[in-house]
Amino acid sequence: MSLYCGTACRRKIFWCYRLLSTYVTKTRYLCELKEDDDACKKAQQTGAFYLFHNLAPLLQKSEHQYLAPQHSLLELERLLSKFGQDSQILEDSVLIGCSEEQEAWFALDLGLNSSSSINASLQKAEIETALQGSFIKLTKALFELNVKDASLLSTAQALLRWHDAHQFCSRSGKPTKKNVSGSKRVCPSNNIIYYPQVAPVVITLVSDGTRCLLVRQSSFPKGMYSALAGFCDIGESLEETVRREIAEEVGLEVDRLHYSASQHWPFPNSTLMIACHATVKPGQTELQVNLRELEAAAWFSRDEVATVLRRNNPSNQQQSGAVPFWLPPKLAIAHQLIKEWVEKPTCSPLPA
């Protein structure tokens, strides 16, 4: 038995090391591509490209989900040649990741006019016909993508949008220049470096111990409720943002706070969603809803929320009256936060 346990332990350590080694190798390779223009150009030769048009990704429908096709550099050059364009537009591509085999992945928008490209944007319909796909807004397609494609396309859209909005230096007003990978932009006149940024947002599920608080904004789809969310203000800590948002929007004071997880979210302009659980005292649960921020807010029991989570398609059933409300799709961190509360009612608090 002792020999067996020792062998099993060594195997476990070996596989853990192998997994870590793969991750480290991949991460350092991406770091090299971000900082070394020559290395990134070389990676483009054997890399794969995801295409966009005015920030909408090229997708192909397959049964009940969308697929994001990849294209080689040679295929792109042939496409550009077909439409009378040269390959200079490839300079606008951005690095979005790589495989474990170090195949680099890039994103390129064929519809945006950039300061570095002399090419006019290509016509959407013509490209769709040539590539047998459709450019579909990510807001519509995100929840019908697999996890890998959803993450890659979210990253790609955020980077492409940031570059489109930062083509000029805020200090000199002159054009900025991106490096090959798209990890930064530099103003040649004053050497100011601009890096892509994300806005931190807290999303918090409030509970009184037996119930959770769900809210809806007027911008939500009909019948959908979610957790409270708000942007972090300058100078605030995570804990201060959670407490302020809950006080502002529903008039409650937080007793305890627990961190859950985080998620990059491409809407509206690239945010980092920081998910937390917050508890209020059972005797202090009367809501004072800020109607300038929210359309509605209400307490729901664990059984009520669990029932909605079990529905295969709650949005359709809500519209037919089968359920009183529905929740964000599984890919959204709000869904995971609510599910976590139903399945694991107790969490470890953040240190004070």
Side-chain angles (χ1 to χ4, degrees):
M1 178 63 71
S2 173
L3 178 61
Y4 172 80
C5 291
T7 303
C9 183
R10 284 193 295 272
R11 286 177 178 173
K12 183 177 181 181
I13 292 172
F14 170 77
W15 285 109
C16 288
Y17 173 78
R18 183 175 179 180
L19 178 62
L20 176 63
S21 177
T22 301
Y23 174 77
V24 170
T25 301
K26 175 181 173 181
T27 301
R28 290 185 173 179
Y29 177 63
L30 283 173
C31 182
E32 178 188 4
L33 298 188
K34 289 178 182 179
E35 299 302 322
D36 189 327
D37 283 353
D38 291 334
C40 195
K41 287 179 182 178
K42 182 178 179 181
Q44 288 178 342
Q45 302 299 315
T46 57
F49 290 77
Y50 292 86
L51 299 183
F52 285 70
H53 194 282
N54 287 323
L55 301 178
L58 179 73
L59 302 173
Q60 295 172 339
K61 191 71 173 179
S62 176
E63 295 182 351
H64 302 297
Q65 68 173 351
Y66 286 110
L67 300 177
Q70 296 180 334
H71 301 274
S72 68
L73 180 64
L74 180 60
E75 289 172 332
L76 276 184
E77 290 174 339
R78 288 173 178 170
L79 177 72
L80 294 171
S81 177
K82 178 179 179 180
F83 292 108
Q85 303 283 345
D86 61 42
S87 59
Q88 186 177 349
I89 194 173
L90 295 170
E91 295 179 8
D92 297 328
S93 65
V94 294
L95 176 70
I96 58 174
C98 74
S99 68
E100 291 186 355
E101 294 74 28
Q102 297 189 2
E103 177 192 57
W105 298 326
F106 298 88
L108 175 66
D109 198 303
L110 300 175
L112 295 175
N113 287 315
S114 107
S115 60
S116 66
S117 176
I118 61 173
N119 297 282
S121 61
L122 279 73
Q123 294 301 310
K124 175 181 174 181
E126 295 176 349
I127 304 172
E128 290 177 328
T129 300
L131 298 179
Q132 298 180 333
S134 300
F135 290 105
I136 300 173
K137 289 184 178 180
L138 196 56
T139 49
K140 177 182 177 181
L142 186 64
F143 298 117
E144 295 183 57
L145 292 164
N146 61 45
V147 174
K148 173 196 167 186
D149 285 346
S151 176
L152 282 174
L153 296 183
S154 295
T155 299
Q157 188 196 68
L159 274 172
L160 291 169
R161 181 192 287 116
W162 182 84
H163 280 284
D164 185 53
H166 291 79
Q167 296 184 44
F168 296 90
C169 176
S170 61
R171 180 69 62 83
S172 68
K174 296 182 178 180
T176 55
K177 181 176 177 60
K178 70 178 276 294
N179 64 341
V180 176
S181 70
S183 64
K184 61 186 177 183
R185 298 189 74 93
V186 180
C187 177
S189 66
N190 53 31
N191 293 321
I192 292 178
I193 302 174
Y194 295 91
Y195 294 97
Q197 297 178 336
V198 296
V201 172
V202 294
I203 180 163
T204 309
L205 189 66
V206 180
S207 170
D208 66 355
T210 60
R211 303 174 299 172
C212 74
L213 178 66
L214 298 176
V215 304
R216 63 170 281 104
Q217 299 177 359
S218 59
S219 60
F220 286 4
K222 182 180 178 181
M224 191 188 86
Y225 278 71
S226 186
L228 282 164
F231 288 91
C232 296
D233 282 348
I234 290 179
E236 281 186 330
S237 67
L238 170 63
E239 296 87 342
E240 289 169 336
T241 302
V242 171
R243 296 179 187 279
R244 173 183 56 78
E245 283 292 332
I246 293 172
E248 284 181 354
E249 298 194 359
V250 292
L252 298 177
E253 287 192 32
V254 172
D255 183 38
R256 289 179 298 164
L257 172 63
H258 315 282
Y259 170 78
S260 175
S262 63
Q263 178 187 45
H264 172 256
W265 195 244
F267 316 117
N269 293 301
S270 190
T271 58
L272 177 63
M273 306 296 293
I274 306 166
C276 299
H277 291 280
T279 306
V280 296
K281 293 180 179 179
Q284 301 176 2
T285 59
E286 182 180 351
L287 301 178
Q288 300 175 28
V289 181
N290 184 343
L291 296 178
R292 291 178 297 179
E293 299 284 341
L294 302 174
E295 185 177 274
W299 292 103
F300 295 90
S301 70
R302 186 167 276 107
D303 287 342
E304 288 176 305
V305 178
T307 298
V308 175
L309 283 172
R310 285 194 295 267
R311 306 287 184 178
N312 291 329
N313 197 341
S315 59
N316 289 341
Q317 296 193 42
Q318 190 279 332
Q319 292 171 3
S320 66
V323 294
F325 64 98
W326 60 284
L327 301 170
K330 291 182 180 180
L331 187 63
I333 200 169
H335 182 101
Q336 301 304 318
L337 190 63
I338 295 166
K339 183 180 179 183
E340 185 178 60
W341 176 79
V342 170
E343 297 177 349
K344 303 175 183 177
T346 59
C347 305
S348 300
L350 281 173

